[in-house]
Amino acid sequence: MKKKKLLCLGLTAMLAVSSLAGCGSSESKTTESQKKEESDTVKITYWGWDNNFTEPMKEAFEKANPGYELEVTAVAYSDYVSKIQQSAASGAELPDILIGESNLRGPLFQMDIWEDLSQEPYQVKKEDYFDYSINKSMNEKGEILGIEQSVSPSAMAYKRSVAAEYFGTDDRTELEQKLATMEDYEAAAKEVQEKSDGKVFLFNSAGSVLGWLYTSDTKSLVSDDGSLDFTGKMKPLLETACKLRDAGAIDNFTADTPQANAAYAGENHILYPCPNWGISNGIKANDPDGSGNWGMMIPPTGGYSNGGTVMGISKSSKNKEAAWKFIDWCTNSDEGVKAAKEQVSYYVPAKKYYEDNSYTTDKDTYFKGQDIGELLYQEVLPNIEVPSVVTPYDSVVQSEVMLLAQAMMADKSMTWDQLLEKGLADVQSKLPDVTVR
């Protein structure tokens, strides 16, 4: 009986479908057409966390390139490396487009999963891009594994009102003359501490100071013999940081905490190491009433690079041509470059766009009309220097830098050589198979 009943239901359903097909042929054709259009769409897969980039660029790209769809899968920053590693190890499908944030590139670039973009059919030419951006995009073999979504020139932001109160000026040129060396920073810190009865500091956190010193240093972590030269890299940086701490330059906040971020709106700190993305994420986000009270200058270390994310192509991708179409459109087409600037405030690494100053001009009211774009993109960017290649140890050492920043403030009696000893032990424990010296 059950079989007979099911058969009757099946026949009824077939008759119903036949009836609909006979009296609704135009609807059927529409459905078939939609299916065809969907099947003709090329989907480009992308894993990442930066919705501020992917959402507007996806919309702009798809509008400009009918038949292509960017399919974004949300993956947390903290999970990205492990997810890529696990997927590659298990043979699971990787995204068409791989990304490598600056602090994550060490382990990612060690994996043989990236297309070399200098080869056919991509043919990326080093000379078309700023040198530093290419150096940060290469592995140890000299292969170009990605293109930066945006350049990341960095300088020193300052709070005008506090600078004027303690230094007698908020003029960029005069401040650069007063703070021309690291010794000048020590002297200025003592001066400010004395005038403020110990309430005002140059910097809000050791993390911002040691992070600035580390990212502006051009010495490679790897020696000629392949060992990790932690001492050669970190000794001068820790010496400088400790001198600044002992001069009273650094407040006790921990970098990137709510307390440190709240300091932007206060009047107890003067200087803030600042990459271009820090203008919106740091200054404007945390000092909403600070318009007109900020300035930017170049520190004694010179301009430097901090952060950035490259886009590359997975070797296992079945849509390599389409993946490159998206990357190239975002970073090397007039339409994509315009969208990146206007909708994301991203500036691409292709040098040709900087030949016209209108691309970089940015007389920001937050900075009292100072042309921040000219400083960052015309003065700093062409002169940025970085270590010659990304190493497999970068992310480990960068994490240790932040731990040492906390340690030097938790116990202010710690000397630079004690901090160095601690750092050496920590890094060696995390890299037991590597010679660390």
Side-chain angles (χ1 to χ4, degrees):
M1 286 295 292
K2 287 183 180 179
K3 289 184 178 179
K4 185 174 182 182
K5 186 175 181 179
L6 289 171
L7 181 58
C8 291
L9 288 171
L11 290 170
T12 303
M14 289 175 64
L15 288 170
V17 171
S18 299
S19 174
L20 287 171
C23 65
S25 58
S26 61
E27 183 179 340
S28 177
K29 287 178 181 176
T30 301
T31 302
E32 289 173 4
S33 175
Q34 288 174 342
K35 287 180 179 177
K36 185 177 186 303
E37 288 178 5
E38 289 175 3
S39 66
D40 288 344
T41 299
V42 178
K43 289 188 177 182
I44 308 163
T45 54
Y46 180 114
W47 295 353
W49 56 88
D50 185 6
N51 291 337
N52 291 328
F53 172 78
T54 54
E55 289 182 1
M57 296 307 286
K58 166 184 165 68
E59 182 179 351
F61 173 74
E62 291 174 356
K63 184 177 180 181
N65 298 275
Y68 291 88
E69 177 185 347
L70 185 70
E71 186 176 84
V72 180
T73 299
V75 177
Y77 174 88
S78 57
D79 296 334
Y80 190 82
V81 173
S82 61
K83 184 172 176 61
I84 293 292
Q85 289 174 332
Q86 290 167 10
S87 297
S90 66
E93 190 171 354
L94 290 168
D96 298 313
I97 294 177
L98 297 165
I99 61 173
E101 195 273 341
S102 183
N103 290 338
L104 306 180
R105 290 181 206 179
L108 288 171
F109 279 11
Q110 292 304 298
M111 303 174 67
D112 188 25
I113 58 173
W114 302 75
E115 287 279 284
D116 180 359
L117 301 184
S118 68
Q119 302 301 310
E120 293 279 1
Y122 320 107
Q123 292 186 302
V124 170
K125 297 178 181 177
K126 293 181 181 180
E127 60 268 25
D128 292 339
Y129 299 86
F130 288 105
D131 291 343
Y132 98 89
S133 74
I134 290 294
N135 286 347
K136 289 184 69 175
S137 303
M138 291 193 305
N139 62 10
E140 293 172 301
K141 299 176 184 176
E143 297 171 331
I144 299 174
L145 304 187
I147 302 295
E148 296 276 359
Q149 292 176 347
S150 174
V151 292
S152 50
S154 308
M156 188 68 73
Y158 59 90
K159 200 76 178 280
R160 286 184 180 273
S161 56
V162 194
E165 180 177 355
Y166 290 97
F167 296 146
T169 182
D170 68 352
D171 178 75
R172 171 200 165 181
T173 301
E174 292 177 1
L175 287 173
E176 286 180 349
Q177 291 172 348
K178 180 177 179 60
L179 300 171
T181 67
M182 299 310 296
E183 290 74 22
D184 290 339
Y185 272 60
E186 293 177 52
K190 294 175 182 177
E191 176 186 346
V192 170
Q193 282 277 288
E194 183 178 349
K195 288 181 179 179
S196 68
D197 293 325
K199 295 178 182 177
V200 178
F201 302 81
L202 296 188
F203 303 97
N204 69 358
S205 70
S208 67
V209 172
L210 203 49
W212 153 47
L213 296 175
Y214 182 84
T215 52
S216 61
D217 185 70
T218 60
K219 181 176 174 55
S220 175
L221 276 172
V222 180
S223 299
D224 292 339
D225 62 6
S227 63
L228 199 172
D229 188 10
F230 185 84
T231 299
K233 179 78 171 180
M234 292 304 302
K235 178 179 179 290
L237 308 184
L238 290 170
E239 285 184 292
T240 298
C242 284
K243 287 178 181 178
L244 289 172
R245 176 200 62 188
D246 296 342
I250 307 172
D251 204 349
N252 236 348
F253 294 116
T254 300
D256 299 324
T257 60
Q259 294 82 2
N261 291 338
Y264 282 92
E267 297 285 314
N268 296 100
H269 308 92
I270 303 175
L271 303 174
Y272 295 80
C274 187
N276 58 345
W277 47 267
I279 293 171
S280 57
N281 294 352
I283 293 172
K284 294 181 180 180
N286 294 297
D287 189 16
D289 299 321
S291 182
N293 197 24
W294 287 90
M296 186 83 75
M297 65 180 185
I298 298 177
T301 55
Y304 59 104
S305 171
N306 183 3
T309 298
V310 294
M311 294 184 289
I313 300 171
S314 167
K315 283 186 174 181
S316 62
S317 169
K318 298 180 177 64
N319 295 308
K320 293 176 184 177
E321 184 179 338
W324 176 243
K325 187 178 185 70
F326 176 74
I327 295 171
D328 193 47
W329 183 86
C330 289
T331 61
N332 206 28
S333 76
D334 292 349
E335 192 172 21
V337 169
K338 181 180 179 182
K341 177 186 175 181
E342 294 180 354
Q343 299 186 46
V344 197
S345 296
Y346 276 12
Y347 289 77
V348 299
K351 289 191 290 189
K352 64 183 180 182
Y353 290 102
Y354 297 83
E355 295 171 1
D356 183 352
N357 288 353
S358 64
Y359 176 59
T360 59
T361 296
D362 181 13
K363 296 182 179 181
D364 196 327
T365 55
Y366 242 82
F367 289 79
K368 203 176 179 179
Q370 181 183 2
D371 194 338
I372 299 304
E374 180 180 359
L375 185 153
L376 289 174
Y377 303 110
Q378 298 295 338
E379 294 183 53
V380 171
L381 183 60
N383 299 306
I384 290 176
E385 295 183 12
V386 296
S388 57
V389 69
V390 175
T391 81
Y393 316 123
D394 288 347
S395 58
V396 173
V397 175
Q398 286 163 353
S399 296
E400 184 62 24
V401 165
M402 292 298 104
L403 294 176
L404 292 175
Q406 294 177 36
M408 66 179 281
M409 300 305 290
D411 181 358
K412 295 182 182 178
S413 68
M414 285 190 77
T415 59
W416 67 262
D417 52 331
Q418 291 172 325
L419 288 163
L420 181 63
E421 184 179 352
K422 171 180 167 51
L424 277 166
D426 288 350
V427 171
Q428 185 67 81
S429 69
K430 294 171 184 175
L431 299 169
D433 299 325
V434 176
T435 300
V436 182
R437 56 184 181 84

mmCIF file of all heavy atoms in Angstrom, residues 210-238:
data_model
loop_
_atom_site.group_PDB
_atom_site.id
_atom_site.type_symbol
_atom_site.label_atom_id
_atom_site.label_comp_id
_atom_site.label_asym_id
_atom_site.label_seq_id
_atom_site.Cartn_x
_atom_site.Cartn_y
_atom_site.Cartn_z
ATOM 1 N N LEU A 210 59.138 50.653 20.690
ATOM 2 C CA LEU A 210 59.966 49.543 20.220
ATOM 3 C C LEU A 210 59.469 49.031 18.867
ATOM 4 O O LEU A 210 60.269 48.610 18.021
ATOM 5 C CB LEU A 210 59.962 48.414 21.248
ATOM 6 C CG LEU A 210 61.144 47.438 21.225
ATOM 7 C CD1 LEU A 210 62.480 48.156 21.185
ATOM 8 C CD2 LEU A 210 61.083 46.503 22.419
ATOM 9 N N GLY A 211 58.152 49.098 18.634
ATOM 10 C CA GLY A 211 57.608 48.735 17.324
ATOM 11 C C GLY A 211 58.110 49.657 16.230
ATOM 12 O O GLY A 211 58.469 49.212 15.131
ATOM 13 N N TRP A 212 58.163 50.954 16.538
ATOM 14 C CA TRP A 212 58.694 51.935 15.584
ATOM 15 C C TRP A 212 60.177 51.679 15.306
ATOM 16 O O TRP A 212 60.602 51.634 14.142
ATOM 17 C CB TRP A 212 58.472 53.341 16.139
ATOM 18 C CG TRP A 212 59.440 54.394 15.678
ATOM 19 C CD1 TRP A 212 59.851 54.633 14.393
ATOM 20 C CD2 TRP A 212 60.117 55.351 16.504
ATOM 21 N NE1 TRP A 212 60.751 55.688 14.370
ATOM 22 C CE2 TRP A 212 60.926 56.148 15.645
ATOM 23 C CE3 TRP A 212 60.116 55.617 17.863
ATOM 24 C CZ2 TRP A 212 61.723 57.187 16.127
ATOM 25 C CZ3 TRP A 212 60.904 56.668 18.337
ATOM 26 C CH2 TRP A 212 61.700 57.435 17.475
ATOM 27 N N LEU A 213 60.951 51.485 16.354
ATOM 28 C CA LEU A 213 62.391 51.251 16.175
ATOM 29 C C LEU A 213 62.646 49.972 15.374
ATOM 30 O O LEU A 213 63.542 49.928 14.523
ATOM 31 C CB LEU A 213 63.089 51.164 17.534
ATOM 32 C CG LEU A 213 63.068 52.448 18.389
ATOM 33 C CD1 LEU A 213 63.691 52.186 19.753
ATOM 34 C CD2 LEU A 213 63.774 53.585 17.670
ATOM 35 N N TYR A 214 61.851 48.950 15.642
ATOM 36 C CA TYR A 214 62.046 47.664 14.950
ATOM 37 C C TYR A 214 61.667 47.770 13.467
ATOM 38 O O TYR A 214 62.423 47.329 12.594
ATOM 39 C CB TYR A 214 61.213 46.574 15.621
ATOM 40 C CG TYR A 214 61.404 45.210 14.996
ATOM 41 C CD1 TYR A 214 62.467 44.390 15.375
ATOM 42 C CD2 TYR A 214 60.542 44.741 14.003
ATOM 43 C CE1 TYR A 214 62.662 43.143 14.790
ATOM 44 C CE2 TYR A 214 60.726 43.506 13.416
ATOM 45 C CZ TYR A 214 61.782 42.705 13.807
ATOM 46 O OH TYR A 214 61.974 41.476 13.215
ATOM 47 N N THR A 215 60.509 48.336 13.173
ATOM 48 C CA THR A 215 60.055 48.378 11.774
ATOM 49 C C THR A 215 60.849 49.369 10.924
ATOM 50 O O THR A 215 60.884 49.244 9.703
ATOM 51 C CB THR A 215 58.556 48.729 11.692
ATOM 52 O OG1 THR A 215 58.291 49.916 12.452
ATOM 53 C CG2 THR A 215 57.695 47.598 12.220
ATOM 54 N N SER A 216 61.505 50.323 11.574
ATOM 55 C CA SER A 216 62.310 51.285 10.799
ATOM 56 C C SER A 216 63.744 50.818 10.609
ATOM 57 O O SER A 216 64.511 51.433 9.852
ATOM 58 C CB SER A 216 62.302 52.654 11.486
ATOM 59 O OG SER A 216 62.864 52.579 12.785
ATOM 60 N N ASP A 217 64.122 49.718 11.256
ATOM 61 C CA ASP A 217 65.484 49.194 11.143
ATOM 62 C C ASP A 217 65.606 48.322 9.889
ATOM 63 O O ASP A 217 64.728 47.513 9.598
ATOM 64 C CB ASP A 217 65.823 48.373 12.386
ATOM 65 C CG ASP A 217 67.265 47.914 12.391
ATOM 66 O OD1 ASP A 217 68.160 48.757 12.567
ATOM 67 O OD2 ASP A 217 67.494 46.701 12.199
ATOM 68 N N THR A 218 66.687 48.465 9.169
ATOM 69 C CA THR A 218 66.835 47.765 7.890
ATOM 70 C C THR A 218 67.723 46.523 7.969
ATOM 71 O O THR A 218 67.907 45.835 6.968
ATOM 72 C CB THR A 218 67.430 48.715 6.827
ATOM 73 O OG1 THR A 218 68.723 49.163 7.264
ATOM 74 C CG2 THR A 218 66.535 49.923 6.605
ATOM 75 N N LYS A 219 68.254 46.216 9.145
ATOM 76 C CA LYS A 219 69.134 45.050 9.276
ATOM 77 C C LYS A 219 68.320 43.767 9.168
ATOM 78 O O LYS A 219 67.260 43.631 9.764
ATOM 79 C CB LYS A 219 69.878 45.085 10.612
ATOM 80 C CG LYS A 219 70.834 43.913 10.814
ATOM 81 C CD LYS A 219 71.625 44.042 12.090
ATOM 82 C CE LYS A 219 72.473 42.811 12.355
ATOM 83 N NZ LYS A 219 73.370 42.461 11.235
ATOM 84 N N SER A 220 68.838 42.801 8.414
ATOM 85 C CA SER A 220 68.163 41.514 8.274
ATOM 86 C C SER A 220 68.320 40.684 9.538
ATOM 87 O O SER A 220 69.307 40.801 10.267
ATOM 88 C CB SER A 220 68.740 40.738 7.085
ATOM 89 O OG SER A 220 68.156 39.443 7.019
ATOM 90 N N LEU A 221 67.344 39.840 9.794
ATOM 91 C CA LEU A 221 67.415 38.919 10.919
ATOM 92 C C LEU A 221 68.345 37.738 10.646
ATOM 93 O O LEU A 221 68.803 37.080 11.578
ATOM 94 C CB LEU A 221 66.020 38.372 11.243
ATOM 95 C CG LEU A 221 65.124 39.229 12.131
ATOM 96 C CD1 LEU A 221 63.732 38.633 12.182
ATOM 97 C CD2 LEU A 221 65.705 39.338 13.535
ATOM 98 N N VAL A 222 68.602 37.466 9.395
ATOM 99 C CA VAL A 222 69.354 36.269 9.025
ATOM 100 C C VAL A 222 70.785 36.623 8.637
ATOM 101 O O VAL A 222 71.017 37.498 7.799
ATOM 102 C CB VAL A 222 68.670 35.524 7.868
ATOM 103 C CG1 VAL A 222 69.460 34.283 7.483
ATOM 104 C CG2 VAL A 222 67.248 35.130 8.258
ATOM 105 N N SER A 223 71.723 35.935 9.261
ATOM 106 C CA SER A 223 73.145 36.135 8.934
ATOM 107 C C SER A 223 73.506 35.375 7.662
ATOM 108 O O SER A 223 72.722 34.559 7.160
ATOM 109 C CB SER A 223 74.020 35.638 10.082
ATOM 110 O OG SER A 223 73.757 36.350 11.258
ATOM 111 N N ASP A 224 74.704 35.619 7.166
ATOM 112 C CA ASP A 224 75.166 34.943 5.946
ATOM 113 C C ASP A 224 75.214 33.430 6.125
ATOM 114 O O ASP A 224 75.053 32.670 5.157
ATOM 115 C CB ASP A 224 76.556 35.465 5.555
ATOM 116 C CG ASP A 224 76.518 36.913 5.107
ATOM 117 O OD1 ASP A 224 75.421 37.382 4.725
ATOM 118 O OD2 ASP A 224 77.579 37.575 5.151
ATOM 119 N N ASP A 225 75.443 32.986 7.363
ATOM 120 C CA ASP A 225 75.512 31.542 7.605
ATOM 121 C C ASP A 225 74.139 30.907 7.844
ATOM 122 O O ASP A 225 74.037 29.715 8.136
ATOM 123 C CB ASP A 225 76.439 31.238 8.787
ATOM 124 C CG ASP A 225 75.939 31.868 10.099
ATOM 125 O OD1 ASP A 225 74.832 32.439 10.110
ATOM 126 O OD2 ASP A 225 76.671 31.782 11.106
ATOM 127 N N GLY A 226 73.084 31.724 7.751
ATOM 128 C CA GLY A 226 71.726 31.199 7.897
ATOM 129 C C GLY A 226 71.185 31.222 9.307
ATOM 130 O O GLY A 226 70.025 30.872 9.539
ATOM 131 N N SER A 227 72.002 31.623 10.279
ATOM 132 C CA SER A 227 71.535 31.681 11.661
ATOM 133 C C SER A 227 70.672 32.927 11.875
ATOM 134 O O SER A 227 70.708 33.876 11.084
ATOM 135 C CB SER A 227 72.718 31.698 12.627
ATOM 136 O OG SER A 227 73.511 32.858 12.427
ATOM 137 N N LEU A 228 69.913 32.920 12.959
ATOM 138 C CA LEU A 228 69.067 34.051 13.302
ATOM 139 C C LEU A 228 69.874 35.000 14.187
ATOM 140 O O LEU A 228 70.180 34.684 15.333
ATOM 141 C CB LEU A 228 67.812 33.563 14.041
ATOM 142 C CG LEU A 228 66.596 34.499 14.100
ATOM 143 C CD1 LEU A 228 65.396 33.763 14.690
ATOM 144 C CD2 LEU A 228 66.857 35.744 14.929
ATOM 145 N N ASP A 229 70.200 36.147 13.650
ATOM 146 C CA ASP A 229 71.047 37.105 14.365
ATOM 147 C C ASP A 229 70.175 38.033 15.211
ATOM 148 O O ASP A 229 70.050 39.227 14.929
ATOM 149 C CB ASP A 229 71.901 37.890 13.378
ATOM 150 C CG ASP A 229 72.931 38.771 14.081
ATOM 151 O OD1 ASP A 229 73.103 38.630 15.309
ATOM 152 O OD2 ASP A 229 73.559 39.601 13.392
ATOM 153 N N PHE A 230 69.589 37.494 16.257
ATOM 154 C CA PHE A 230 68.717 38.267 17.140
ATOM 155 C C PHE A 230 69.499 39.376 17.844
ATOM 156 O O PHE A 230 69.031 40.512 17.953
ATOM 157 C CB PHE A 230 68.074 37.334 18.170
ATOM 158 C CG PHE A 230 67.058 37.991 19.059
ATOM 159 C CD1 PHE A 230 65.736 38.135 18.651
ATOM 160 C CD2 PHE A 230 67.415 38.453 20.318
ATOM 161 C CE1 PHE A 230 64.801 38.743 19.475
ATOM 162 C CE2 PHE A 230 66.484 39.062 21.153
ATOM 163 C CZ PHE A 230 65.170 39.207 20.727
ATOM 164 N N THR A 231 70.704 39.066 18.272
ATOM 165 C CA THR A 231 71.522 40.051 18.982
ATOM 166 C C THR A 231 71.872 41.230 18.087
ATOM 167 O O THR A 231 71.737 42.397 18.480
ATOM 168 C CB THR A 231 72.811 39.399 19.516
ATOM 169 O OG1 THR A 231 72.454 38.366 20.437
ATOM 170 C CG2 THR A 231 73.693 40.425 20.221
ATOM 171 N N GLY A 232 72.325 40.932 16.879
ATOM 172 C CA GLY A 232 72.700 42.002 15.958
ATOM 173 C C GLY A 232 71.531 42.922 15.625
ATOM 174 O O GLY A 232 71.712 44.134 15.473
ATOM 175 N N LYS A 233 70.343 42.348 15.543
ATOM 176 C CA LYS A 233 69.154 43.129 15.226
ATOM 177 C C LYS A 233 68.656 43.914 16.439
ATOM 178 O O LYS A 233 68.349 45.109 16.350
ATOM 179 C CB LYS A 233 68.045 42.189 14.730
ATOM 180 C CG LYS A 233 66.728 42.865 14.390
ATOM 181 C CD LYS A 233 66.765 43.541 13.059
ATOM 182 C CE LYS A 233 65.377 44.013 12.646
ATOM 183 N NZ LYS A 233 65.375 44.693 11.336
ATOM 184 N N MET A 234 68.567 43.257 17.578
ATOM 185 C CA MET A 234 67.845 43.819 18.711
ATOM 186 C C MET A 234 68.701 44.623 19.682
ATOM 187 O O MET A 234 68.177 45.494 20.393
ATOM 188 C CB MET A 234 67.139 42.699 19.470
ATOM 189 C CG MET A 234 65.992 42.053 18.708
ATOM 190 S SD MET A 234 64.718 43.235 18.164
ATOM 191 C CE MET A 234 64.216 43.948 19.736
ATOM 192 N N LYS A 235 69.997 44.353 19.767
ATOM 193 C CA LYS A 235 70.841 45.053 20.755
ATOM 194 C C LYS A 235 70.733 46.580 20.644
ATOM 195 O O LYS A 235 70.430 47.259 21.633
ATOM 196 C CB LYS A 235 72.293 44.600 20.619
ATOM 197 C CG LYS A 235 73.261 45.303 21.579
ATOM 198 C CD LYS A 235 74.680 44.765 21.392
ATOM 199 C CE LYS A 235 75.678 45.474 22.314
ATOM 200 N NZ LYS A 235 75.890 46.875 21.888
ATOM 201 N N PRO A 236 70.962 47.189 19.468
ATOM 202 C CA PRO A 236 70.883 48.655 19.402
ATOM 203 C C PRO A 236 69.474 49.193 19.647
ATOM 204 O O PRO A 236 69.313 50.291 20.194
ATOM 205 C CB PRO A 236 71.365 48.975 17.977
ATOM 206 C CG PRO A 236 71.194 47.703 17.211
ATOM 207 C CD PRO A 236 71.388 46.599 18.185
ATOM 208 N N LEU A 237 68.471 48.419 19.271
ATOM 209 C CA LEU A 237 67.091 48.871 19.468
ATOM 210 C C LEU A 237 66.718 48.870 20.943
ATOM 211 O O LEU A 237 66.062 49.797 21.434
ATOM 212 C CB LEU A 237 66.125 47.972 18.680
ATOM 213 C CG LEU A 237 66.440 47.761 17.197
ATOM 214 C CD1 LEU A 237 65.336 46.937 16.534
ATOM 215 C CD2 LEU A 237 66.612 49.091 16.481
ATOM 216 N N LEU A 238 67.131 47.828 21.655
ATOM 217 C CA LEU A 238 66.845 47.752 23.086
ATOM 218 C C LEU A 238 67.632 48.810 23.859
ATOM 219 O O LEU A 238 67.119 49.384 24.835
ATOM 220 C CB LEU A 238 67.171 46.358 23.611
ATOM 221 C CG LEU A 238 66.221 45.248 23.144
ATOM 222 C CD1 LEU A 238 66.774 43.868 23.530
ATOM 223 C CD2 LEU A 238 64.824 45.449 23.721
#
